[in-house]
Amino acid sequence: MKISIINGPNLNMLGVREPEIYGTLSLADIEAQCLDQAKKLGIEMSFSQSNHEGEIVELIHAAHEASHDAIVINAAAFTHTSVAILDALKAVNLPIYEVHLSNVHARESFRHQSYISAIATGVICGLGVEGYLAAMRAIVLK
Ligand code: CA2
């Protein structure tokens, strides 16, 4: 089994600013914890981040082309704006798990809207890195 974990804009800044919202872990720390989890679960994992909408669309296509079994995505701000990412996720027809580090529902109202949730198998927010790990476990257990 192979899982593609895709991260959106500004998540490369984690651990540097706004630790009260996003915690103190860097994206490299999150990747290391996901890799550790993948080893424990006996699966393969790819982990990527982009600040560009079109690149995220291509990462979604690549997950399909490389025969990944599921996508875990934290599309960051594009969650709330991107029909292109929604269309790409629909096109690849893979199980989608939407993850957010923070509880988006306890924040500004524009973060309550997600283009991805309606087509996701599962949505996890507010659990920090544990959301990524829980999504990985859920994919394997399904
Ligand atoms: O809670 C999440 O994981 C989010 O997807 C993070 C996005 C935000 O736009 C979503 O509404 C919720 C923002 C990621 C930006 O990360 C930063 C990290 C450090 C400093 C500034 C931004």
Side-chain angles (χ1 to χ4, degrees):
M1 176 175 276
K2 280 198 289 191
I3 297 177
S4 173
I5 303 179
I6 299 173
N7 294 280
N10 297 305
L11 287 165
N12 55 313
M13 299 296 286
L14 283 176
V16 180
R17 309 226 352 233
E18 302 195 57
E20 66 288 356
I21 300 175
Y22 299 117
T24 53
L25 295 182
S26 66
L27 195 62
D29 295 330
I30 293 175
E31 179 174 8
Q33 290 203 30
C34 289
L35 198 56
D36 191 47
Q37 173 84 308
K39 281 186 193 145
K40 283 184 190 144
L41 293 169
I43 61 170
E44 287 178 49
M45 174 209 87
S46 67
F47 192 96
S48 50
Q49 187 272 334
S50 174
N51 293 322
H52 305 282
E53 189 175 20
E55 262 179 37
I56 294 172
V57 167
E58 293 190 352
L59 287 166
I60 293 164
H61 296 170
H64 171 67
E65 279 149 25
S67 301
H68 284 80
D69 298 286
I71 293 175
V72 175
I73 185 162
N74 182 351
F78 289 144
T79 305
H80 317 299
T81 62
S82 179
V83 176
I85 288 173
L86 167 65
D87 285 345
L89 291 169
K90 282 169 88 169
V92 297
N93 200 26
L94 289 171
I96 306 300
Y97 290 74
E98 177 184 352
V99 169
H100 300 285
L101 294 162
S102 64
N103 177 1
V104 286
H105 300 290
R107 301 181 64 192
E108 304 96 322
S109 58
F110 63 83
R111 295 187 204 275
H112 301 175
Q113 149 88 359
S114 165
Y115 280 93
I116 299 171
S117 297
I119 57 105
T121 302
V123 182
I124 304 172
C125 73
L127 300 184
V129 65
E130 183 55 38
Y132 289 73
L133 307 181
M136 294 173 76
R137 282 195 298 272
I139 290 164
V140 170
L141 289 173
K142 219 167 174 38

